[in-house]
Amino acid sequence: MSDPVTRPLGAQISHMLRARGVDVIFGIPGVHNQEMYRGIEEAGITHVLARHEQGAGFMADGYARASGKPGVAYVITGPGLCNVMTPMGQAYSDSVPVLVISSCLDETAARRGQLHQMKDQEIAAGTVCDWSCTAQTAQSAYGLVDRAMQEFATARPRSKHVQVPIAQLQALAPPAAAPVVPAQQAQHLKADLSSVVDQIKAAQKPLFIFGGGAARASDAARAVVAALGAASFVTYAGRGVMAPDDPLFFGAALARPDSAGIVAQADLVIAVGTELAEVDIWRDHLGHRAPMIRVDIDAEVLSDPQQAEYPVLMDAGIFLNALADDVTGAQGSSRWDAREVAKARASWRAEVDAERPGIVPICDALRSALPDGTMIYSDMTQFAYVAKEVWDMENPAHWHHPYGFGTLGYATPAAIGGAIARQGKPTLAIIGDYGFHYTMQELGVAVELGLSLPIILWDNGKLGEIEDSMVRAQIAPNAVIAQNPDFCKLAEAFGARAAAPETITAFQQAIKDAFAADGPTLIYVTPALTS
């Protein structure tokens, strides 16, 4: 390569990504995508070697949620792409900006039996992400990457997949053009929304519901609610948008069946940045009888079965900041009763404790032991299900969970990605015994990087939630118990620290010790934990 600017396309893609602000890539090299690795170090990008492509995808997801920047993963043709499809589906479901770049075979129609061959790799990936496209030229590859970056910045952020034929990755190519100027979204409410604002200001009993889309506008959301004297709920993904001590805050209790009765009391419902999906409310209809104003960046959400009378296609943060300016100084005369709010919250907390006994006190103990600003990644486990309902977050976007797609094995690798993005800031993982099996090998990455990462492993010795569901359905529990290893010895075999506290006090101390350690600590906890 006599021309220092001309490089194989695989290398140019890394340089292009670095020019667009990407400084970490998660992945695994193989003979099909090795050209993508030619330029990583030269471009100044840190590569994190996952132990499985699923782990790489979850790390990219966790990194994106923590940093607000796109998470990028490099994977090989065929099985590598298949392995990362679960994280792609999770990122799509939870609106996380993840870009997966893979190699692909040059030709598949007339040849069979090639290494890593799939019938249609592009279409397969497209079933779990926003879009999946093949770049047949260097300019096509550059254009697709820029398209992904623009959409991450201006539309609902969802996973994307770009694949490049092996021969193209190897071929010399000119560098990508300079980064394009990111598109700007309108920063003010349009005049035709004045009637919506007037309705909000005139409501006597307004109820706001904030989802994850409002997470980056919590200050404005709190200001709006305070000025109007409004009550509020948050979805699980919206926890932290509202201040826990707000006397008219109902918490993340929309999944409680009788929350529908609370919603029915409102004379105006304003849902901001939320799908109001099954995993948010666990019923077909929210329960409102009053008109609904629906604010979302995704037009599909605005046409869902909730049938909002006033759909507003707008970024939640832009809407809330503009609304906050408009209602500043308003003297909201709320008809909501703070005593009734407190009563409802206490009742719901008691219900959660009765449904899954013993977990609420452990959640309380964990919360009191955590440093300020801790970011938490949880898995599909009963510990997390309880915490999502009773644990009010001080800060938004600080508890991440595989909400929609609902995959097991998310928490450990996602927390690793989050810890990489948050160097020097506390990050924590919560995972169940069964989910830990899915991605336990990524513990080696945390050891390799020396991440001070506490991993709480909740072991109830079974698929507890599934067993409970079978019992409710009058099915004799079947296939819900698996032989577990000695998790502490397993962690130590990876080079991690391990602790198995038997009391609440010892549990809290183990958490503090783990944050001070120079590597990850697996903290093994069972329902037998006592005070």
Side-chain angles (χ1 to χ4, degrees), residues 369-414:
L370 294 183
D372 290 342
T374 298
M375 184 168 285
I376 300 170
Y377 292 82
S378 61
D379 213 79
M380 302 296 285
T381 176
Q382 288 187 327
F383 192 104
Y385 304 155
V386 169
K388 288 190 301 177
E389 294 202 66
V390 304
W391 187 323
D392 290 329
M393 298 297 293
E394 297 285 345
N395 303 306
H398 272 62
W399 188 302
H400 305 292
H401 184 82
Y403 296 107
F405 208 43
T407 178
L408 285 162
Y410 170 81
T412 301

Side-chain angles (χ1 to χ4, degrees), residues 166-484:
I166 298 166
Q168 285 297 322
L169 290 171
Q170 297 169 341
L172 294 178
V180 296
V181 177
Q184 298 295 309
Q185 294 178 332
Q187 297 299 311
H188 301 286
L189 292 173
K190 296 179 180 178
D192 60 357
L193 288 178
S194 59
S195 62
V196 169
V197 176
D198 289 343
Q199 286 187 70
I200 294 173
K201 293 166 72 173
Q204 295 297 303
K205 210 171 183 182
L207 176 66
F208 281 83
I209 299 174
F210 297 109
R216 302 194 184 280
S218 61
D219 289 345
R222 295 179 185 189
V224 165
V225 167
L228 296 171
S232 64
F233 282 91
V234 294
T235 66
Y236 297 137
R239 290 157 65 217
V241 172
M242 292 307 301
D245 60 355
D246 185 325
L248 297 180
F249 175 46
F250 283 101
L254 288 170
R256 294 285 111 191
D258 58 349
S259 69
I262 301 292
V263 175
Q265 298 177 27
D267 64 353
L268 181 68
V269 174
I270 309 98
V272 184
T274 171
E275 286 184 309
L276 295 178
E278 178 186 58
V279 294
D280 293 321
I281 63 176
W282 291 108
R283 54 183 179 268
D284 293 334
H285 191 263
L286 180 63
H288 58 291
R289 298 172 183 169
M292 174 185 280
I293 295 171
R294 194 77 181 273
V295 181
D296 207 278
I297 200 171
D298 186 346
E300 183 179 350
V301 169
L302 299 177
S303 60
D304 74 358
Q306 303 301 329
Q307 296 183 331
E309 286 81 359
Y310 305 99
V312 179
L313 184 64
M314 181 173 284
D315 175 80
I318 293 173
F319 177 86
L320 288 170
N321 279 293
L323 183 59
D325 290 342
D326 203 289
V327 302
T328 297
Q331 299 296 320
S333 55
S334 175
R335 289 168 47 201
W336 292 102
D337 187 334
R339 293 168 299 180
E340 291 301 314
V341 174
K343 182 179 178 180
R345 296 207 59 178
S347 175
W348 292 330
R349 179 182 171 91
E351 286 180 10
V352 173
D353 194 26
E355 290 167 357
R356 300 183 179 99
I359 300 178
V360 169
I362 301 175
C363 288
D364 292 341
L366 174 60
R367 182 179 182 183
S368 66
L370 294 183
D372 290 342
T374 298
M375 184 168 285
I376 300 170
Y377 292 82
S378 61
D379 213 79
M380 302 296 285
T381 176
Q382 288 187 327
F383 192 104
Y385 304 155
V386 169
K388 288 190 301 177
E389 294 202 66
V390 304
W391 187 323
D392 290 329
M393 298 297 293
E394 297 285 345
N395 303 306
H398 272 62
W399 188 302
H400 305 292
H401 184 82
Y403 296 107
F405 208 43
T407 178
L408 285 162
Y410 170 81
T412 301
I416 290 171
I420 291 169
R422 288 166 49 83
Q423 292 289 341
K425 297 180 180 179
T427 304
L428 173 81
I430 300 171
I431 194 165
D433 58 307
Y434 208 85
F436 188 70
H437 282 273
Y438 279 53
T439 53
M440 66 171 70
Q441 66 275 6
E442 305 306 341
L443 188 58
V445 179
V447 171
E448 192 171 87
L449 299 179
L451 300 177
S452 300
L453 177 66
I455 301 172
I456 297 174
L457 194 155
W458 174 254
D459 184 4
N460 58 8
K462 62 182 72 174
L463 287 164
E465 192 71 9
I466 308 307
E467 181 182 68
D468 291 348
S469 179
M470 286 180 166
V471 170
R472 288 193 298 269
Q474 298 184 7
I475 300 170
N478 195 331
V480 295
I481 298 177
Q483 178 65 43
N484 280 333

Side-chain angles (χ1 to χ4, degrees), residues 105-114 117-119:
L105 295 173
D106 301 315
E107 192 280 324
T108 58
R111 295 185 62 189
R112 292 291 182 266
Q114 299 179 79
Q117 186 164 11
M118 293 177 65
K119 292 176 67 176

Side-chain angles (χ1 to χ4, degrees), residues 92-105:
Y92 176 87
S93 176
D94 287 351
S95 303
V96 182
V98 170
L99 174 61
V100 173
I101 302 179
S102 76
S103 54
C104 65
L105 295 173

Side-chain angles (χ1 to χ4, degrees), residues 152-179:
F152 287 151
T154 60
R156 183 175 183 178
R158 285 179 145 166
S159 52
K160 329 277 186 184
H161 169 238
V162 176
Q163 62 178 21
V164 186
I166 298 166
Q168 285 297 322
L169 290 171
Q170 297 169 341
L172 294 178

